[in-house]
Amino acid sequence: MSDKVQYGGMAVIEGVMMRGPEKIAVAVRKADGSIELEEEVVSDLPARYPFLKWPFLRGTYVLIDSMVVGIRILNKSANMSLDEDEEELSGGEMLVTGLLAFALAILLFVVLPTAIVHFSSRFLGGVLTQNIIEGIIRIIFFLAYVWVIGRMQEIDRVFMFHGAEHKSIFTYEAGGELTVENARKHSTLHPRCGTSFILIVLVISILVFALLGEGSLFYRVWSRIAVLPVVAGLGYEFLKFSGKYYQNRWARILIAPGLFLQKLTTREPDDSQLEVALMALRAVIPGDKDEGSGEQDLSLTGAN
């Protein structure tokens, strides 16, 4: 796998987005059963600014880029899946939706766990103990959030497309022909999944945040937001390293918690969903599927 491009993607509304070295492709299953495919050229900032490819810096760039592109593509897929007589979301509505989602994430996974520990600090011991408890609270909040949204029918279908995305990428990485029959036999759990990345970031944050010391609630919250790029960089390097060697027993042990977590964010897809994911993947592979030399950082796979 190391001599191939590592393709990434994400599940979207009624479809899958795939990202290659040259293009992004979004395939969506419409209400009438047809598949609509849209493609766009990738904006390759690292080619113009090589420092964005440096270890630890590239993780921050990939995280920000994946979030920006992901929110935009999610909204695009929502519009693509609409019937002709339904009103599409405007650019302003998309922007507000993205900002609200980001604000909710900061509130739920940064502000609330930090505030709980801050106001209980006199009962919790030293800084390390406080950060371990804060990290555990943060992980519990994340697991609860994923479990709750997974009970929604619309999100359950997104999780099925997430599984289809993983199966399609596994098929490519195994060197098989990109067919539904070949994709069916692969796992829905992928070592480079964005879900695993989030768990890794949550664990690494416990250690990094412990170095920030104590202070006011304002200091605690903003210091954690400020060092998120550092945490993301460390997490991304871990994900890349473990994903590269996931066939080895020691690497499988390291990534096991992330794979277990993916059981909450992936479902077994049906053939119609695999067809959508495979169409998106074929659209971003330049020429022959083995074309391309060297490992390229394109995207986290399944960064939902």
Side-chain angles (χ1 to χ4, degrees), residues 197-229:
F197 174 71
I198 293 173
L199 180 61
I200 292 167
V201 165
L202 292 176
V203 172
I204 291 177
S205 69
I206 295 174
L207 303 175
V208 176
F209 292 169
L211 301 176
L212 300 176
E214 298 183 83
S216 66
L217 178 59
F218 179 84
Y219 167 77
R220 285 178 180 247
V221 170
W222 285 106
S223 63
R224 280 149 176 73
I225 294 174
V227 301
L228 278 178

Side-chain angles (χ1 to χ4, degrees), residues 95-153:
L95 177 61
V96 171
T97 300
L99 291 175
L100 287 176
F102 180 75
L104 176 62
I106 293 296
L107 175 65
L108 191 58
F109 303 123
V110 178
V111 177
L112 284 182
T114 304
I116 291 172
V117 170
H118 175 75
F119 291 115
S120 308
S121 59
R122 64 180 180 275
F123 307 111
L124 302 179
V127 174
L128 181 59
T129 301
Q130 292 177 30
N131 277 277
I132 291 174
I133 294 173
E134 182 183 328
I136 292 172
I137 293 173
R138 193 171 285 115
I139 291 172
I140 290 173
F141 279 12
F142 176 68
L143 294 176
Y145 170 77
V146 172
W147 185 85
V148 168
I149 66 171
R151 306 280 73 78
M152 301 166 60
Q153 183 177 358

Side-chain angles (χ1 to χ4, degrees), residues 150-164:
R151 306 280 73 78
M152 301 166 60
Q153 183 177 358
E154 295 83 357
I155 301 300
D156 188 68
R157 283 193 58 78
V158 172
F159 287 172
M160 291 175 72
F161 279 107
H162 189 188

